[in-house]
Amino acid sequence: MQRLKKTRNIGIIAHIDAGKTTITERILYYTGRSHKIGEVHDGEAIMDWMPEEQERGITITSAATTCEWIGHTINIIDTPGHVDFTIEVERSLRVLDGAIGIFCAVGGVEPQSETVWHQADRYGVPKMAFINKMDRPGADFENAVEMIKERLGATPLVLQLPWGQEEDFQGVIDLIKMQAIVWNEDDLGASFQEVAIPESYREAALRQREEMIELLADTNDSIMERYLSEEEVDIQSIKGAIRQATIKLTLVPIFCGAALRNKGIQPLLDGIVECLPSPLDVPPITGINPKTKQPETRSATTKEPLASLAFKVAMDQGRRMTYVRIYSGTMKTGSVIYNSSKNVTERVARAMRMHANRRERINQALCGDIIAVMGLKETITGDTLCDKDHPLLLEAMEFDQPVISMAVEPKQVKDQERLIDTLQKIDDEDPTFRFALDEDTGQMIISGMGELHLEVLAQRLRREFSLAVNTGKPQVVYRETISKKATTESVFDREWGGVMHFAGVTIEVSPMDRGTGNRFVNKCSNPLMTEEFIDSVDEGIREASESGVLMGYPVIDVETTLFDATLKEQFSTPLSFKIVASMAFREACESASPVLLEPIMKVEIIVPEEFVGDVINDLNTRGGRIERITTKGPAKILAAIVPLSNMFGYSTALRSSSQGRATFTMQFSHYDRA
């Protein structure tokens, strides 16, 4: 119990280049986990261990590590900030108890920060925020806090004020203790002093502290009583109220600093321990018992049966390594565990505690731990691993579909088989990656979340798997839908495998709003239509929707209604209903004016004012539509939606039209008519 109370499982989330890895490197140094600070710009960061990460200076894969701070064990996952690798954030947040959002004091809340913050909201993960780069020209603490409130819909609880900004940034002012903190430059910020708050900041600090107590009073009755009777609130009560409000997702504690200058990290570590939840503070995990189909919960204790979730598969020197979060019970090396998602048993060959790509072997792992396991052959991301005698199925994870494809082929014909094996390995570890052989062209097509995603994968094929490959221009993954209602009757009456099969259905297809997905509605009143037959109709429609009638792309946003069915008692089988439903769906779609849909991207461009005209003209030629223009200091922020097919090579075009001064981010928005 005491061990769990002193465990924190946290993730570091943010937009690209906000300083996540830089902060993680400082945390590892100040907690004694590493003996030197690895810098991202030198390609020496411990957490960015892949050659592709070191070359580009960005995080591509989430890396896990463990460190100790004032008697507490902190398991940290450093996640990527680039939109192409959002899956890494998604699967990490699914298993974490708390998160730190890092925001640049200059940029504030940037598009990808918004995406990852809302991912954390979806999983109900308590968060705190660290406003980094307070020493940069243009740093604006108050603006960053305001953006957290406006863009993220969060209620910020400011616990620190910056002592100076830009080149005058000296340290932070702690509003709980009412002390200023300054760091020593001589020992890379490992030591610091608490000093009196400078007179020029005293009034602002008192005003902000009053606001902090007011916000806490709204969430805590005991503080409300003392606040109304104008009593002084002691530090322990303030810390207790902050922790309670953070865990309930009511408030978001705000810290600040400049990680690259080694300022602000130790108070952030204190904040992790004091504000973010332990595995005991989060609700027990709930799943479905696959035998009884009833919901069951597992508490964070070793007395309960094993319940754990595989949240990531990685290839390590050609061997599968599965990252697992244990929610209850114990997992021992050599033990046999049950994968309830696949209904297979697996053996734990080795269990390891990870430190980026370095590992430490352990004999057993307990509830609350995040570990890596070797030896699991069938398990993939999102599978539940549990005790066979007490099975549990945890909620699976959902992943975005790939939006961009490119052709890849081995330079030597003899490597074709090896290419397929290697792509299968990558497919196992990356749920947003797909590969398939195009029957028409004979090309191997790989699909992913963006140009950078595919570029990194192609580089890994060459470097990690020693496969010489050629790559072709990326192609857009389209979708199909219908534009009007259509009804069709279809009958399947055929001898197959020496057995007669008969089934008939009447279905109607109708278009739905964009982004709604497909829906099956049963309005058939024939008493002979059993649940098994109806499920077969649904399955046949689902399979038929995977390849449309125009160009073979998946069909989306269609409602299919089953109105009637005809049966012959001896000859009607689930298979015949599956086949006839598939035929009927295709016939109906052909009559319903099918249309092609293309992916539309949400693009945000930060551009100096003098180049705005050129950038807008370029977007117009790409079929883009400007949705809003806002001002941020000397720059303009253009929000636009543009078809993905027109965005290839955009980064080069934007650099040349703005003398390299504009930046942009792009993420999938929706599908629309091509």
Side-chain angles (χ1 to χ4, degrees), residues 285-307:
I285 195 83
T286 302
I288 300 290
N289 183 321
K291 289 179 183 170
T292 64
K293 304 288 185 251
Q294 294 301 309
E296 288 184 13
T297 59
R298 295 275 193 275
S299 301
T301 162
T302 50
K303 296 189 177 90
E304 292 255 18
L306 173 70

Side-chain angles (χ1 to χ4, degrees), residues 297-440:
T297 59
R298 295 275 193 275
S299 301
T301 162
T302 50
K303 296 189 177 90
E304 292 255 18
L306 173 70
S308 61
L309 188 79
F311 67 95
K312 176 173 171 164
V313 175
M315 287 300 152
D316 183 67
Q317 294 162 0
R319 290 184 304 235
R320 283 171 70 104
M321 187 158 71
T322 310
Y323 285 79
V324 176
R325 161 74 198 259
I326 301 173
Y327 289 103
S328 66
T330 306
M331 189 182 283
K332 293 183 178 173
T333 298
S335 62
V336 174
I337 53 178
Y338 177 58
N339 179 331
S340 55
S341 309
K342 295 269 189 309
N343 190 21
V344 294
T345 53
E346 298 263 46
R347 182 176 290 279
V348 178
R350 273 189 310 206
M352 292 157 301
R353 201 163 266 123
M354 296 304 291
H355 178 47
N357 64 331
R358 299 206 288 278
R359 57 183 78 128
E360 171 196 330
R361 285 180 74 160
I362 52 176
N363 294 324
Q364 65 169 16
L366 313 174
C367 54
D369 285 345
I370 291 176
I371 59 161
V373 174
M374 290 282 201
L376 309 185
K377 294 184 172 68
E378 306 280 333
T379 302
I380 59 167
T381 302
D383 284 359
T384 304
L385 299 167
C386 58
D387 181 339
K388 189 160 191 180
D389 298 331
H390 304 89
L392 190 73
L393 189 59
L394 301 176
E395 186 190 345
M397 296 160 78
E398 287 181 15
F399 308 113
D400 290 335
Q401 291 301 309
V403 293
I404 187 169
S405 300
M406 78 178 177
V408 59
E409 59 179 27
K411 286 186 176 174
Q412 296 178 308
V413 179
K414 66 181 175 68
D415 285 336
Q416 184 67 29
E417 281 299 309
R418 201 153 71 86
L419 175 65
I420 294 170
D421 288 347
T422 304
L423 292 176
Q424 186 57 59
K425 286 176 180 171
I426 293 173
D427 187 53
D428 287 345
E429 66 175 65
D430 185 348
T432 57
F433 170 76
R434 299 279 182 281
F435 74 98
L437 193 66
D438 187 321
E439 299 295 340
D440 300 329

